[in-house]
Amino acid sequence: MRGVFPLIFFSIILSIGYYLYNSRKEYDKYSELLEDYRSERNKFLLNSSLSPLKNSDYTLSYYEPNINYKVIASVSQIETPDTVTLATSTGTSEKFLNFADLNFKLGNSKFSIPVYKYVEGENKGDLLFCFLDKTNSFSTYPGGRYIDINFENAKRIELDFNKSYNPYCVYNESYSCPIPTKRNYIEMEILAGEKLTK
């Protein structure tokens, strides 16, 4: 029996080491992919004729990659969507369909945040996922941030807050950006994604 305990202890240590090694490899791979994503977005913003930052020397700021802010959300689609009206940054309003709710867990808390669908304008048919959190007005834009998502009949989707970004009105006040409502509030600090550049 004396020889069994060291063997069990060694096996436990080996398992922990293997887990940490693989976790580190996964994190490094994820960070690399995220940096590629951010690099491509930066190129688009600085070169696209559709961007408010075209031909500027603006430098985007981000939180460090954090894989804990990448979650799987279950989708609750709304069978008969209501029309909702969101205020915009320019003082106007814009109509959307209340398309679905995304249900997910961050830390020890569960959230259910709505997804809207544009019903008019050049973005008609696109989905809008916007959110507010406790970093707003401190390190992020007071009017919230967006995450690009696209699905039709999915039951579960990836929701990566490391890919959250500022709306265009942050860079140019002439752009009209929908403002999230209280339903879009996540009662915690989302220390991921794009920050305000100081």
Side-chain angles (χ1 to χ4, degrees):
M1 290 296 291
R2 289 182 180 178
V4 173
F5 292 111
L7 184 61
I8 293 174
F9 179 75
F10 178 74
S11 297
I12 292 172
I13 294 299
L14 192 64
S15 298
I16 292 173
Y18 181 76
Y19 171 78
L20 293 175
Y21 172 75
N22 281 297
S23 296
R24 184 66 204 181
K25 283 185 67 177
E26 180 185 3
Y27 177 79
D28 289 344
K29 182 179 180 181
Y30 172 74
S31 296
E32 185 177 328
L33 292 172
L34 182 62
E35 289 303 320
D36 289 343
Y37 169 85
R38 289 175 173 177
S39 177
E40 287 301 312
R41 183 166 184 272
N42 291 352
K43 288 178 184 177
F44 171 81
L45 288 173
L46 296 176
N47 295 290
S48 172
S49 59
L50 301 175
S51 168
L53 295 179
K54 180 176 170 59
N55 297 326
S56 74
D57 58 357
Y58 193 92
T59 302
L60 299 176
S61 296
Y62 298 97
Y63 286 103
E64 290 296 316
N66 189 333
I67 201 168
N68 294 318
Y69 287 102
K70 185 178 77 164
V71 300
I72 299 298
S74 64
V75 180
S76 299
Q77 279 194 259
I78 298 169
E79 293 186 7
T80 308
D82 292 326
T83 300
V84 296
T85 302
L86 298 183
T88 72
S89 57
T90 55
T92 60
S93 60
E94 193 165 357
K95 291 182 179 179
F96 295 84
L97 286 181
N98 192 21
F99 183 69
D101 290 320
L102 295 188
N103 310 294
F104 56 92
K105 185 176 180 181
L106 273 176
N108 295 319
S109 301
K110 294 180 179 180
F111 301 97
S112 183
I113 305 296
V115 176
Y116 305 116
K117 178 180 277 190
Y118 287 90
V119 295
E120 54 192 11
E122 61 183 22
N123 296 315
K124 184 176 181 179
D126 292 344
L127 299 182
L128 172 67
F129 182 85
C130 52
F131 68 96
L132 301 163
D133 71 281
K134 288 188 174 182
T135 67
N136 301 150
S137 299
F138 295 100
S139 57
T140 62
Y141 176 54
R145 291 178 286 170
Y146 301 170
I147 300 176
D148 288 335
I149 57 173
N150 184 27
F151 65 88
E152 291 185 7
N153 298 310
K155 300 297 183 184
R156 292 160 64 86
I157 67 166
E158 180 182 281
L159 186 61
D160 191 349
F161 288 91
N162 291 281
K163 295 181 178 178
S164 62
Y165 61 88
N166 293 324
Y168 278 0
C169 51
V170 171
Y171 316 118
N172 187 328
E173 293 180 354
S174 66
Y175 281 79
S176 182
C177 303
I179 299 173
T181 69
K182 290 181 179 179
R183 283 199 63 208
N184 305 86
Y185 181 62
I186 298 174
E187 195 173 357
M188 65 182 296
E189 288 184 319
I190 303 295
L191 303 174
E194 190 176 346
K195 302 189 292 184
L196 289 175
T197 299
K198 294 183 179 180

